[in-house]
């Protein structure tokens, strides 16, 4: 499952890079400050954020953090199930 997910993110990364490389020559940064320049800058920032997020996932920077979060989720689920089972026993006694 992990390899399939990394492949998917690799494809999305390549698509974002291709869009950025295609769009950069077409964006106008020479007309001075204005709406056109603002749009070009914001569009490039969003494209770089998409690229960075996919690289972050592919490199696996947060694998240890993800393992810790999974452990916390499991502990919370066990705690919730324990409370739910305890409430069920109390309501059955009443």
């Amino acid at each position: 499952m992990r390899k399939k997910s990394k492949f998917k993110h690799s494809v999305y990364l390549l698509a974002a890079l291709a869009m950025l490389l295609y769009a950069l020559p077409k964006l106008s940064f020479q007309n001075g400050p204005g709406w056109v320049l603002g749009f070009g800058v914001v569009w490039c920032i969003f494209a770089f954020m998409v690229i960075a997020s996919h690289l972050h996932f592919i490199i696996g920077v947060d694998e240890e953090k993800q393992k810790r979060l999974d452990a916390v989720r499991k502990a919370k689920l066990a705690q919730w199930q324990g409370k739910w089972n305890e409430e069920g026993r109390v309501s059955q006694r009443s």
Side-chain angles (χ1 to χ4, degrees):
M1 180 76 173
R2 192 80 169 149
K3 284 186 180 185
K4 186 176 183 180
S5 182
K6 283 195 178 193
F7 176 75
K8 178 179 73 169
H9 284 279
S10 299
V11 170
Y12 293 155
L13 171 68
L14 290 175
L17 280 171
M19 287 186 341
L20 184 64
L21 291 175
Y22 177 77
L24 274 178
K26 298 184 183 315
L27 292 174
S28 175
F29 294 105
Q30 299 172 358
N31 293 344
W35 289 106
V36 175
L37 176 66
F39 173 80
V41 169
V42 170
W43 194 91
C44 287
I45 289 171
F46 279 124
F48 284 123
M49 287 173 56
V50 168
I51 291 167
S53 68
H54 287 296
L55 275 176
H56 186 265
F57 184 83
I58 291 169
I59 294 171
V61 175
D62 282 342
E63 286 185 17
E64 183 61 36
K65 183 177 181 182
Q66 187 64 39
K67 288 178 184 176
R68 289 192 309 245
L69 286 173
D70 288 341
V72 168
R73 281 190 199 107
K74 286 179 184 178
K76 284 186 177 183
L77 179 62
Q79 182 182 15
W80 179 78
Q81 286 177 337
K83 284 184 180 180
W84 186 69
N85 287 337
E86 186 177 306
E87 288 175 5
R89 285 188 216 125
V90 170
S91 66
Q92 288 177 352
R93 291 180 191 163
S94 301

